[in-house]
Amino acid sequence: HNINQINTTDYGYQLILMNARDPKLQGHLKIIMLKKFVDALVFKADNHAKEMIFLLPEIDKDLQESEKKFFTDKNEIVIEEEEDTWGVEVNPFFKTFMPKRVYQRLQKKDAVKISFIETEKIIEKGKKKTDDVVMVIKEETPKVEVEEIVEPTPEPVAVEEKEDEDDGMPSYFKVKKKKPVVEEITEEIVEEVVEEEFEEPTEDLFADESELAEARNDNTEDKKGKKEKKDKKVKIVMEYEVLINDFILNEDGTHEPIERRLNVKNWKMRQDESASNPNEVYQIELETNKGPVYVYLSASKKITKVDCGEVVYLMRGL
């Protein structure tokens, strides 16, 4: 049946139908509403046919409560900033196959889930040292022996004393020159000795030798661990991905679970203040290795829909 017209009525809506094979056969489909929900459907194939009434039963209270806990509602998860997306998991209530817009109601047993995963990886850089540095702790500070270096003593320089020349002056007017004193030059060599400080563990003087040995061993291993940790260079890498757990419905009616893992390269949030749909005011675009993924938010920044291209996942509620 083709839909020629949709009219609003007091009970809900009326669709004017026309048989696709015979345009002379026209009927209608009445949608009976109870508040915002469909309560019944009234179908009439043509003017000469009888009306058929299809009643929609109310959901069982226990099932309604269990589904409310399982499925993600449209007013449940808030995303204030685009970074808040990571670590979020949603269980959609409907999924739509595009572009034909074929809807499929999901059940709890289908276990459909979309996870936005942030992973922190620590990568060690450089070669690892094979030789471990072991610091031995002794009770006394070891003495460092310094080999004495003896430099040769320079030989004294002989100075000849010259006799005073007779210049015709009386001897008592002459200034007697003093004999130069030759001193031995001795160079003092001082070598700076740097003594390595060893931290002595606090030990109980009354403890057994075995306990003291164990304490020294623990202190040595602690210093060894700190030395190895200092030598290692690490690099922190953040990875982002979207994990989709879904299923394929086979021709025989069986469910085949599938898993899609999309690596996210970049993401950004945009706002459409003039959006006609109140459930699509905000959009988070995730750039992945298999095409873009769009997360739609309501005006209150709550997740309402996840668009993965061929399949669109809808949250529970209006």
Side-chain angles (χ1 to χ4, degrees):
H1 299 270
N2 295 330
I3 300 176
N4 291 341
Q5 190 177 359
I6 301 177
N7 301 321
T8 303
T9 63
D10 295 337
Y11 54 80
Y13 302 95
Q14 184 184 35
L15 284 64
I16 305 302
L17 307 178
M18 181 183 66
N19 194 305
R21 296 180 180 180
D22 188 357
K24 295 179 182 180
L25 301 177
Q26 296 186 2
H28 61 256
L29 177 65
K30 297 178 180 180
I31 302 177
I32 312 300
M33 302 291 295
L34 183 61
K35 293 183 179 180
K36 295 183 179 181
F37 301 96
V38 177
D39 186 53
L41 300 173
V42 180
F43 173 70
K44 186 176 182 180
D46 54 68
N47 295 331
H48 304 287
K50 293 181 179 181
E51 287 186 335
M52 292 185 292
I53 301 176
F54 301 89
L55 299 176
L56 303 184
E58 294 184 0
I59 187 172
D60 182 80
K61 290 184 179 181
D62 294 336
L63 178 60
Q64 183 180 9
E65 188 64 26
S66 62
E67 286 192 342
K68 184 178 180 180
K69 294 179 180 179
F70 181 80
F71 293 108
T72 303
D73 293 338
K74 290 183 178 180
N75 60 348
E76 184 173 342
I77 299 178
V78 180
I79 304 294
E80 291 291 344
E81 303 293 339
E82 55 264 38
E83 288 80 8
D84 299 337
T85 308
W86 307 112
V88 170
E89 292 183 351
V90 296
N91 296 93
F93 191 66
F94 275 101
K95 73 176 181 178
T96 309
F97 299 94
M98 303 301 288
K100 295 184 179 181
R101 298 179 65 87
V102 178
Y103 287 86
Q104 182 177 4
R105 161 64 154 97
L106 300 176
Q107 304 293 334
K108 291 173 56 179
K109 62 181 179 181
D110 299 331
V112 177
K113 182 172 66 174
I114 304 174
S115 305
F116 300 89
I117 302 173
E118 178 186 40
T119 306
E120 178 182 294
K121 288 190 175 181
I122 301 177
I123 302 175
E124 294 184 3
K125 299 171 63 178
K127 297 182 179 179
K128 296 181 179 179
K129 294 185 178 181
T130 55
D131 297 334
D132 295 332
V133 179
V134 180
M135 299 183 66
V136 181
I137 300 174
K138 296 183 179 180
E139 296 181 0
E140 298 180 358
T141 304
K143 296 181 180 180
V144 181
E145 296 182 1
V146 181
E147 183 179 357
E148 183 180 0
I149 302 175
V150 181
E151 293 286 344
T153 305
E155 297 180 357
V157 181
V159 180
E160 296 180 357
E161 182 182 1
K162 294 183 179 181
E163 296 181 358
D164 296 337
E165 297 180 357
D166 188 6
D167 52 3
M169 295 290 293
S171 59
Y172 51 82
F173 284 104
K174 294 182 180 180
V175 179
K176 191 174 183 180
K177 296 181 179 180
K178 294 183 180 181
K179 183 178 181 180
V181 180
V182 179
E183 298 180 356
E184 294 184 0
I185 302 174
T186 304
E187 183 179 359
E188 184 179 1
I189 300 174
V190 179
E191 181 174 348
E192 184 179 358
V193 179
V194 180
E195 296 184 358
E196 185 178 1
E197 296 182 3
F198 288 81
E199 182 182 355
E200 297 186 4
T202 305
E203 298 179 350
D204 187 0
L205 299 178
F206 298 98
D208 297 337
E209 289 296 331
S210 59
E211 294 179 357
L212 293 176
E214 184 178 355
R216 297 190 193 103
N217 188 27
D218 293 341
N219 199 355
T220 303
E221 290 179 356
D222 182 58
K223 291 188 177 182
K224 176 183 174 182
K226 291 181 180 178
K227 179 68 176 177
E228 291 178 351
K229 185 176 181 181
K230 184 178 180 181
D231 293 341
K232 292 181 180 178
K233 296 180 180 179
V234 297
K235 179 180 179 181
I236 299 177
V237 178
M238 305 301 296
E239 294 183 353
Y240 303 89
E241 59 184 0
V242 179
L243 178 62
I244 303 174
N245 296 103
D246 204 339
F247 69 94
I248 297 177
L249 188 61
N250 298 322
E251 295 181 356
D252 57 356
T254 58
H255 289 60
E256 180 182 349
I258 60 173
E259 180 181 284
R260 296 178 60 194
R261 192 177 292 269
L262 311 178
N263 298 325
V264 180
K265 304 175 184 178
N266 196 8
W267 63 89
K268 57 185 175 182
M269 177 187 285
R270 56 175 67 97
Q271 179 183 5
D272 184 7
E273 296 180 354
S274 60
S276 58
N277 190 344
N279 291 324
E280 299 179 4
V281 177
Y282 293 91
Q283 180 195 71
I284 301 176
E285 180 182 1
L286 305 174
E287 181 184 348
T288 74
N289 58 332
K290 296 183 180 179
V293 173
Y294 300 97
V295 180
Y296 288 92
L297 310 176
S298 63
S300 56
K301 290 188 175 182
K302 296 175 182 178
I303 297 179
T304 58
K305 182 171 69 173
V306 179
D307 186 351
C308 298
E310 297 180 355
V311 182
V312 179
Y313 300 89
L314 302 175
M315 305 304 117
R316 180 175 177 265
L318 299 175

